[in-house]
Amino acid sequence: MSWLLRFFSSSIGKKLIMALTGLFLCSFLVVHMIGNTQLFYADQGLAFNKYAVIMTSNPLIEIISIGLYFFILLHTVQGLLLAYKNRQARPVGYAKFNNSSRWQSRNMAILGTIILVFLVVHMSRFWYQYRFDYVPYKKYVENIQTGQMVSTQAMAESYAVKRRIVEDLDETTGHKVTIVRDLYKEVEVAFQNLPLVLLYVLSMVALAYHLVHGFQSGFQTLGLNHPKYNPLVRWVGVGLFAILIPAVFAAMPIYFYVKSLG
Amino acid sequence: MAEGHSADNMTLTLKVWRQKNRNTEGRFVTYTLGGVSPDMSFLEMVDILNTQLIERNEEPIAFDHDCREGICGSCAMYINGRPHGPKQVTACQLHMRSFNDGDTITIEPWRAAAFPIIKDLSVDRSAFDRIVAAGGYISINTGNAQDANSTPVPKEAADEAFMAAACIGCGACVAACKNASAMLFVSAKISQLALLPQGQAERRIRAEKMVAQMDEEGFGACSNTGACSAECPKGISMTNIARMNREYYGAKLKSTNV
C-alpha cells in the first residue's frame, strides 16, 4: 500500500484528487441546477417541496450525498494544502510580475475560498434548517382530473408529523391532498433579504471564474488533452459550467427578490 | 560616453538585483547606462554595463551565459516581469530594439526555492540535472554503433519527440510559473523518450523516478495556468504535461515498485 500513499502524496497525485473531486462536484451542480429550476414553477412550490423530500429520503441519493460532503471537504482541504505548498516553492517573489496567464487560473484558491464561504452560508440557511431544524408544513389540494390547484393552506406551527410528506387521495371528490414541509416558503423569505441576494450573485460570479479554468484544468490533470476532444471540453467548460449553470443559479435569488418587491 | 537620445543611442535605467551570495540579503541597485545600440543583444548591453563597473572598480554583475545563440539555456534573467523579457526568446536572442530610449528595465534572477541564488542573477539550476539523472536517459550496453535505420520510428512520433527534445533546460517555465513548478521541463524530458521505441523498456520507472526527484527538489505543483508554455523560448507544449500525467498514472498502476 505504500506505493498508493506515495502516489497520493506526490504533486501529480494531489492534483489528481483535485481533478476527480472537482469534476464530481461539477456533475452535482448539473443535478442541483436542474432540480432547483422547479423553484420557477407557478405551483406555489409543490413540485419543489416534493423534490426536496426525495432528495433527503431516497437511500441511493443519501449515500451519494455523503460522498458529496466528503468530496467537498477533500477538495477544500487538498486545495488549501496545495496552495500553501505552491507558495513555499517561491519564498521570495518578483518585484515586477507580468504573467502571461489568465487571472482566474492563478487565483483558484481565492475563488474557491469565496465559494467555501458561500457554501457555509447556503448550507446553514437551507440544508441545516431542512434537515435538523423546524420547517412549517403546507397543505396543497389538487383536482387530479383537471390538474388544477384547488386550494393551498399553510399548516399551523403545532402541526408536526414524523414524515416529511403526507399524500392522500379523496376518491369521492377527486382531490389529491399533499401535506409537505414548505422549503419553498423558506427560500421565498430568505431571498427578500438584499444582502443575501447579493452574496449569492457574487458567489455565482466566483463560481463562474472558478469553473472556466477548473473544468478544463481537471481534464488536463487527468492527462486528457487531445486535439479531437479539447474543443468539446472547452465548450462544455465555458458554455455549460462557466455561463449557464452560474447564471441559472444566480437567477433564483434575483427572481424571488424581484417577486418580493411586488 | 556621450549622452544621446537618438534611436541609435539609447539611455536606459537598469534596476538590477545584486546579491553577494545565497546567505546574504540582496537588493536592487539602479544603474543608468547610455550609448546602448538597438542592435545589441540584451547580454551585450549587460556586458557594457559590467565593463563600466569594472572600470569604476565595482563588482560586475554575475550572470550565466554560454552559447549566445539561443540553444544552451544558460542566460537566466527575469526581465520586466517575464522570463527572458518581452519576446519569447532567450535573453541572448533578445535585442535592445525591443525597448525604448529612456525605459526602466527591471532585471531579477529566477525565483524558486529549488533554484537558490549563487550570486546576483546567477542561480543554481542543478536540480534539473538531478531530475534528469534520476531517470531521464536510456540504459544501453554499448558496442558497435547500430545501423542508422535498424530501429524504425514513424515520422509523426519522431517529430513529436523532437519537439519535446527541443527543451534547453533554461528554467523559464519554473520562473514563469506562479508555483515555481518544473512540470513543463520534466514532462518534456519524459516525453522525448516515451515517444520513441528506445525509451520503452524504462518507461515506467523513468516517470516514477523523475517525478519523485522533481517533488524532492521542492518545485511546486501544476495549476495548468499555461504561463510556462507561453514563456518557453522553445515553445514546449502543455500536451507534454498531460502526457507526463498519463505516464505517471500508468507507471504507478503497473510498475513493480511497491
Side-chain angles (χ1 to χ4, degrees), chain A residues 15 18 78-94 96-112 210 213 217, chain B residues 78 81-83 110-114 171-184 218-231 238 241:
Chain A
K15 287 296 298 182
M18 291 308 284
Q78 184 76 280
L80 290 173
L81 285 175
L82 265 171
Y84 174 69
K85 206 174 173 316
N86 288 341
R87 256 171 191 276
Q88 282 186 317
R90 174 167 295 138
V92 181
Y94 293 108
K96 201 166 174 186
F97 194 64
N98 252 330
N99 204 298
S100 45
S101 58
R102 288 179 193 276
W103 180 87
Q104 63 270 20
S105 75
R106 298 194 304 275
N107 292 285
M108 291 295 277
I110 292 169
L111 292 167
H210 197 74
H213 177 69
S217 177
Chain B
Y78 201 80
R82 292 177 67 182
W110 281 181
R111 297 288 191 189
C173 45
V174 175
C177 176
K178 76 173 185 80
N179 306 334
S181 170
M183 290 214 185
L184 193 68
F219 293 106
C222 180
S223 292
N224 300 321
T225 70
C228 53
S229 185
E231 298 294 352
M238 294 274 290
I241 297 181

Side-chain angles (χ1 to χ4, degrees), chain A residues 111 115 199-211 242 246 250:
Chain A
L111 292 167
I115 296 165
L199 173 76
Y200 269 67
V201 173
L202 181 80
S203 303
M204 288 310 107
V205 173
L207 179 70
Y209 275 101
H210 197 74
L211 294 185

